[in-house]
Amino acid sequence: MDEIKLKIKKNLKFPLEADSITPDNFAGKTIAAIKKLPVYYATKKMTIGDFFDVSGKSTEVGNTKIIMEGDLSNVKRIGEKMTGGEIEINSDVGMHVGNNMSGGKIVVNGNADDWAGAMLQGGELEITGDAGHYVGSAYRGFWQGMKDGVIKVKGRVGIESMLWAKSSKPANKWPTLYCGSADAFLGIHNHGGTIVVEGDVDRCTGADQAWGNIVVKGKVSRLLPSYKKVGEVKEVQLPNGEVIKGKFIEYSGDHTIKKETAGRLYVAA
Amino acid sequence: MVEKVRTVTDVCCPFCGTLCDDLEIDIDLKTDQVVEVRNGCQIGTKKFYASNPSEHRFEKPLIKKNGELTEVSWEEAIDKAADILVKAQRPLLYGFSSTECEAQSRGVELAELLNAILDNTASVCHGPSLLAIQDVGASLATLGEIKNRADTVIFWGSNPVHAHPRHLSRYSDFIRGYFRTDGRNDRYIIVVDPRYTHTAQIADKYIKVKPNEDYELIQSIRAVLRGTDLDVKEVAGVPIEDIKELVERLKSANFGVLFFGMGLTQSLAHHRNIETAIRLVTELNDYNKFILIPMRGHYNVAGANQVFAWNTGYAYSIDFSRGYPRYNPGEFSSVQLLMRDEVDASLVVASDPGSNFPAGAVKNLFKHPLIAIEPHKTPTSAFADVVLPAAIAGIECEGTAYRMDKVPLRLRKVKEAPGESLSDKEILERIIEKVKGKLGE
Ligand code: SF4
């Protein structure tokens, strides 16, 4: 793979909006051309070259890997709308990383701020630390958020993660979130998304879920009263074919949406 | 007999979102001061009296020099204000809810000119309602319709006896309406609140909900409404039998209304509380007519949302940094921006964030240059670098305001503002002119 290295050379007082940093935008460009791509700092339009040392080379999108170094905790929108290639971020990262991406892979070796992987349409986002609120969620006012792809968060995800996820059986699209633990309102308004939590989750998990699967291998701090116990199972089969072994209590819900619902929440027995 | 006072009638009260429009104000002809207020509640009346000149009111523009607020000319003060705003890299314009609509639209103009962040107090009160309405819509009505038709009235997390004192007698409870000829006797009042408030004490039914469990309670009401037999015996401290009874009561209503306040918007789950409440109301429309109304606090916060929305597409938390409006509460809302210390100068219009923002945010607000357009001494103006004395909209200048049900009403001018005070609109216009000059436009 062709590698392009970006090392941040300034301390940021304000957030830097760097939606131009994607393999799509870098592919086939010279270093000089990449340095001229726009970024936004406070109210000013500036360039990548103003903030980053850039080196390496790239040819086509699928073969481009961007490696980012330095403190990027206040750099927003890296990987926005990317369709292929890879980004490796060796730092904490600011808001909206990988939002609307439809292909390729982003790895964050650190924590991510809010809205990581928001409206994901495909591809893979991996975060080795914790993530902020609204991981893989729909933006304000959207009724369909994450539609495909996979998000893996080793640590905790913040509130309202996977909001308005939407699967499609005919198109074989199964948006999936794996995480270590989760705050309140995980998978709210779920319409077919799959969520697997290794540890515990906070209150209101699966609120207003229409259909879909949420598997919690730990505890739920306060189960919604509008969920009903169905029985116990020894394994859970996910729509993407994966099977999760273990004893779970199966709940149906959310019954606020329908009296009989295909929504399921599995909590370790 | 020689007249000593003149009376202004049909005056709107520029205090709370009830926006009563029947006040009568007596003004002393000699001193041009408010001497009598009729029809207003205690808090509304107080606002009129507080407009009289006093040690608490600013009468001249002030600039902080050597740590002291010093009187200066308008020219100098406006120049200083424009200078601060133009030099700032990420300015914030905040407030606007206690002024009239034209001043608010000048705020939008200035924000656009400066590529600033523009926010109003909805950010810390009913912002969650706006988020929820954006997600699931809302069935609304005017207060007049409620007065004439409502037979079932719920107050959830709202205590109008104290926060909107004349609401009950003008629109929602005691008032006789076209189809509710017996007033209070024709209505069934339900109050849901963790505390046994004064509103709860005059209700037909009080439901004590555990703090921060409103969401669970509404979810179970909705599930029961769907015909689901729940596994649990009680929710949020309310026995399931009571929930079933409540659902029957709501279903059998003729015209129901849910009024909700900050007890619902600012307790845990915030906008999700409102969202599920809206959905409950929507689902109740399968059985009858049911609507909901947010109990807006500031008299024209609804107007601020309207004006911002028709100008930018968004009601609050708007960022112009990229030259066009973007919106994302949490990212561009004042408190969060200040907490992260992302703002390097602020202009506050008719609001007092210094006394109601979290301490961390206030600290950062005061750390950077601050301009206050404000009639009275407040914690915010005490820490301002520039104070621009404003005439009080609805008392000392005209304008338009939106009631909590989004009905626009005309505000009246009943007297002159003291000293050199100017209207918020005029002050903002002068700043805009100066800023344009400095930007070379
Ligand atoms: S209820 Fe509100 S608008 Fe009416 S007089 Fe009292 S403060 Fe003013």
Side-chain angles (χ1 to χ4, degrees):
Chain A
M1 240 180 177
D2 299 329
E3 288 186 353
I4 298 228
K5 280 212 167 79
L6 259 68
K7 189 167 185 335
I8 194 156
K9 55 186 182 186
K10 278 188 183 158
N11 281 330
L12 301 174
K13 157 125 183 64
F14 304 105
L16 180 71
E17 295 198 357
D19 31 319
S20 57
I21 301 181
T22 62
D24 304 71
N25 282 335
F26 286 11
K29 287 203 175 73
T30 62
I31 295 298
I34 290 172
K35 278 185 170 175
K36 282 209 192 92
L37 289 170
V39 292
Y40 298 85
Y41 184 67
T43 51
K44 290 198 188 61
K45 185 175 177 180
M46 297 170 85
T47 64
I48 287 184
D50 291 332
F51 290 91
F52 295 92
D53 290 324
V54 188
S55 61
K57 74 172 174 83
S58 88
T59 45
E60 61 191 49
V61 181
N63 212 17
T64 298
K65 178 170 182 176
I66 303 172
I67 301 174
M68 303 193 62
E69 310 280 350
D71 179 7
L72 304 163
S73 57
N74 217 1
V75 181
K76 292 181 183 177
R77 301 187 173 275
I78 295 172
E80 175 169 305
K81 294 185 184 155
M82 68 185 257
T83 64
E86 275 184 42
I87 304 181
E88 179 185 313
I89 301 169
N90 295 311
S91 156
D92 292 349
V93 71
M95 290 184 195
H96 307 284
V97 63
N99 78 81
N100 279 295
M101 72 188 267
S102 57
K105 182 172 180 177
I106 300 179
V107 179
V108 180
N109 290 312
N111 303 322
D113 209 332
D114 303 349
W115 302 100
M119 313 278 298
L120 203 81
Q121 310 293 311
E124 197 180 330
L125 171 64
E126 195 180 321
I127 296 162
T128 62
D130 295 331
H133 305 307
Y134 293 98
V135 176
S137 286
Y139 279 129
R140 311 278 187 203
F142 283 88
W143 275 26
Q144 298 186 353
M146 182 168 166
K147 285 197 196 137
D148 201 4
V150 178
I151 300 180
K152 292 178 182 160
V153 181
K154 194 102 201 261
R156 195 171 178 81
V157 296
I159 55 160
E160 293 194 18
S161 291
M162 260 308 237
L163 163 69
W164 289 110
K166 175 89 168 71
S167 66
S168 167
K169 207 170 176 186
N172 196 24
K173 289 181 171 179
W174 305 105
T176 309
L177 168 69
Y178 300 90
C179 59
S181 58
D183 275 342
F185 289 100
L186 176 69
I188 173 171
H189 290 301
N190 193 11
H191 281 64
T194 304
I195 303 174
V196 181
V197 191
E198 288 301 319
D200 299 344
V201 299
D202 206 345
R203 69 189 279 234
C204 298
T205 299
D208 275 0
Q209 165 171 261
W211 65 90
N213 294 281
I214 302 174
V215 183
V216 180
K217 297 186 187 172
K219 289 196 262 318
V220 177
S221 78
R222 203 157 82 203
L223 190 75
L224 275 173
S226 44
Y227 269 76
K228 282 173 72 79
K229 186 171 168 179
V230 179
E232 286 199 22
V233 293
K234 290 210 182 66
E235 59 172 43
V236 181
Q237 168 116 32
L238 300 179
N240 63 6
E242 201 181 321
V243 177
I244 296 180
K245 298 251 180 247
K247 257 183 144 187
F248 291 96
I249 302 173
E250 179 181 353
Y251 295 93
S252 63
D254 194 337
H255 288 278
T256 52
I257 301 296
K258 261 192 188 156
K259 198 173 170 194
E260 305 299 334
T261 170
R264 286 293 179 271
L265 169 65
Y266 301 90
V267 183
Chain B
M1 207 179 89
V2 188
E3 288 290 334
K4 290 211 179 89
V5 296
R6 73 189 154 83
T7 303
V8 192
T9 57
D10 303 321
V11 177
C12 272
C13 167
F15 190 83
C16 85
T18 312
L19 206 60
C20 301
D21 52 5
D22 60 346
L23 269 58
E24 291 181 8
I25 317 290
D26 285 348
I27 306 288
D28 187 303
L29 283 171
K30 246 214 305 314
T31 60
D32 198 41
Q33 295 202 9
V34 176
V35 288
E36 175 76 54
V37 179
R38 283 183 293 278
N39 297 348
C41 72
Q42 278 191 26
I43 37 182
T45 303
K46 189 95 186 165
K47 177 155 180 179
F48 279 91
Y49 283 124
S51 71
N52 287 335
S54 72
E55 59 194 329
H56 304 295
R57 275 208 77 164
F58 297 118
E59 300 199 3
K60 286 211 165 93
L62 307 168
I63 290 183
K64 194 160 267 175
K65 290 180 180 170
N66 305 321
E68 286 285 315
L69 282 171
T70 317
E71 289 182 3
V72 293
S73 67
W74 267 109
E75 177 58 29
E76 190 180 341
I78 295 284
D79 190 72
K80 174 81 182 169
D83 207 52
I84 289 173
L85 292 172
V86 170
K87 283 195 180 132
Q89 293 192 73
R90 196 121 170 86
L92 165 72
L93 314 189
Y94 175 80
F96 300 101
S97 302
S98 284
T99 188
E100 44 85 34
C101 292
E102 283 180 57
Q104 291 164 350
S105 69
R106 296 305 182 283
V108 180
E109 194 181 337
L110 182 60
E112 193 172 359
L113 205 59
L114 293 163
N115 290 0
I117 302 143
L118 178 67
D119 203 4
N120 55 55
T121 60
S123 193
V124 289
C125 63
H126 273 282
S129 313
L130 299 166
L131 279 176
I133 291 171
Q134 198 180 2
D135 254 6
V136 292
S139 326
L140 305 165
T142 61
L143 292 171
E145 220 178 323
I146 289 158
K147 165 188 150 185
N148 287 322
R149 296 173 192 273
D151 65 344
T152 302
V153 181
I154 310 173
F155 291 101
W156 198 310
S158 147
N159 186 11
V161 167
H162 291 290
H164 302 81
R166 295 185 70 211
H167 196 279
L168 299 166
S169 57
R170 278 175 64 83
Y171 309 114
S172 51
D173 190 354
F174 305 109
I175 184 87
R176 289 163 201 263
Y178 192 82
F179 297 107
R180 302 290 159 238
T181 48
D182 207 6
R184 178 66 180 87
N185 296 332
D186 275 356
R187 292 182 223 275
Y188 190 79
I189 309 291
I190 303 164
V191 171
V192 189
D193 208 297
R195 292 172 309 148
Y196 190 49
T197 61
H198 285 132
T199 309
Q201 287 164 28
I202 55 168
D204 296 297
K205 172 103 189 147
Y206 166 57
I207 297 172
K208 189 177 171 71
V209 55
K210 282 192 192 155
N212 291 323
E213 294 190 23
D214 307 80
Y215 188 86
E216 281 85 350
L217 182 55
I218 303 176
Q219 289 292 95
S220 47
I221 294 173
R222 286 176 57 202
V224 170
L225 189 65
R226 292 257 182 231
T228 314
D229 219 356
L230 299 181
D231 291 348
V232 291
K233 294 272 164 298
E234 63 147 63
V235 179
V238 183
I240 207 78
E241 295 315 316
D242 284 14
I243 294 177
K244 284 184 179 156
E245 199 189 303
L246 177 68
V247 166
E248 287 313 312
R249 168 65 71 172
L250 298 181
K251 273 161 72 175
S252 64
N254 225 316
F255 184 113
V257 51
L258 167 63
F259 290 106
F260 60 96
M262 306 226 324
L264 207 52
T265 63
Q266 295 298 340
S267 61
L268 267 189
H270 300 265
H271 55 296
R272 295 302 166 203
N273 287 336
I274 313 306
E275 189 204 289
T276 188
I278 292 175
R279 291 191 147 215
L280 169 64
V281 163
T282 308
E283 285 150 14
L284 280 168
N285 275 279
D286 288 348
Y287 302 91
N288 51 29
K289 172 88 178 159
F290 226 100
I291 58 116
L292 87 170
I293 291 192
M295 295 288 268
R296 307 304 298 261
H298 291 280
Y299 77 91
N300 198 22
V301 61
N305 299 148
Q306 296 283 324
V307 172
F308 286 10
W310 85 54
N311 278 290
T312 69
Y314 307 114
Y316 71 113
S317 296
I318 303 152
D319 172 45
F320 281 99
S321 65
R322 281 171 82 158
Y324 52 88
R326 292 186 300 169
Y327 151 88
N328 196 11
E331 188 176 5
F332 303 132
S333 40
S334 315
V335 169
Q336 283 76 8
L337 282 166
L338 288 165
M339 291 295 246
R340 295 194 297 264
D341 200 14
E342 283 179 26
V343 165
D344 65 347
S346 313
L347 169 72
V348 175
V349 184
S351 172
D352 185 17
S355 55
N356 52 40
F357 275 12
V362 175
K363 213 173 101 203
N364 288 337
L365 175 76
F366 290 163
K367 206 162 81 180
H368 302 288
L370 173 64
I371 307 156
I373 301 183
E374 179 56 55
H376 288 112
K377 287 184 183 158
T378 61
T380 307
S381 55
F383 283 89
D385 299 277
V386 182
V387 176
L388 305 170
I392 300 174
I395 299 178
E396 294 158 353
C397 61
E398 290 194 321
T400 300
Y402 281 74
R403 204 164 66 184
M404 62 168 70
D405 57 350
K406 298 184 194 147
V407 170
L409 294 168
R410 192 70 185 159
L411 304 173
R412 307 195 71 168
K413 174 178 178 172
V414 301
K415 65 188 260 289
E416 294 300 328
E420 295 177 19
S421 310
L422 298 173
S423 68
D424 295 313
K425 174 174 159 245
E426 191 170 348
I427 297 171
L428 285 163
E429 276 169 352
R430 288 193 187 191
I431 297 177
I432 289 169
E433 277 318 302
K434 245 317 178 263
V435 166
K436 277 186 180 164
K438 285 184 193 281
L439 292 173
E441 284 188 17

